[in-house]
Amino acid sequence: YAPPAPETVGKAIIFLKPLAHRARIQTWASVLDASGKQVGELQVALQPTQLDFVTGQRPVLDPKEALGDQCAAIIRIQQARNLPTGLNSNVHVKYSADGMEDKTTPVAQGKQTAPRFDHRDHLS
C-alpha cells in the first residue's frame, strides 16, 4: 500500500506592506485554487520584532524612517477553515517568502474542514 500523494488545496497570499511600517499583520487570508476560486481561509499573524524575536518594533508612519534597520518577524499560522471536504485529510501548510526556503507546519491529523496548526516560527 502506498499512501496517496499530497495534493495542493490552494494558495493564500499575504501582502507584507504593513511590515514596512513595522505594523502587525493578523488576517484570514483567502485560500484560492488554481482557477482563482476561494476554497477556504487561513488565519495568519506576523509580528515584527528585533533580531532577538522578543523585542517588538515601534511602528512608523513613513517606511523610509526604517530604512537600514534590521527587522525580523514571528509568523503564526493558527488554523484554516471552510476547506473542501474532498481535500481535507492530514492537512499542512507550506509557506515561504523571498530568499527563504519553503517551510511546513506540522500535519493536522484526520479529516477536518477547520484544521488547527498553532504553528509559530521565526523569520529573519
Side-chain angles (χ1 to χ4, degrees):
Y1 168 77
E7 293 183 61
T8 299
V9 174
K11 295 185 179 200
I13 297 172
I14 312 297
F15 294 98
L16 302 178
K17 186 170 183 175
L19 291 180
H21 293 270
R22 306 297 189 247
R24 178 187 164 120
I25 300 170
Q26 184 161 346
T27 189
W28 280 97
S30 294
V31 177
L32 305 175
D33 69 10
S35 66
K37 178 183 169 201
Q38 184 172 341
V39 291
E41 294 176 291
L42 184 65
Q43 188 179 28
V44 178
L46 285 146
Q47 176 66 50
T49 68
Q50 293 185 15
L51 294 177
D52 63 5
F53 298 104
V54 175
T55 309
Q57 290 278 5
R58 172 166 281 176
V60 295
L61 290 176
D62 183 355
K64 291 178 185 173
E65 294 176 36
L67 283 177
D69 290 352
Q70 292 191 336
C71 184
I74 297 170
I75 183 169
R76 290 183 50 215
I77 300 173
Q78 295 154 309
Q79 65 184 43
R81 66 182 178 195
N82 302 322
L83 296 180
T85 305
L87 294 173
N88 66 356
S89 293
N90 302 324
V91 177
H92 69 274
V93 175
K94 185 189 302 185
Y95 60 99
S96 66
D98 284 345
M100 168 182 139
E101 289 186 29
D102 288 353
K103 295 188 175 189
T104 305
T105 66
V107 172
Q109 296 292 328
K111 288 184 76 70
Q112 304 178 52
T113 59
R116 290 199 64 82
F117 304 104
D118 296 321
H119 178 73
R120 179 183 164 116
D121 195 9
H122 296 160
L123 303 177
S124 59

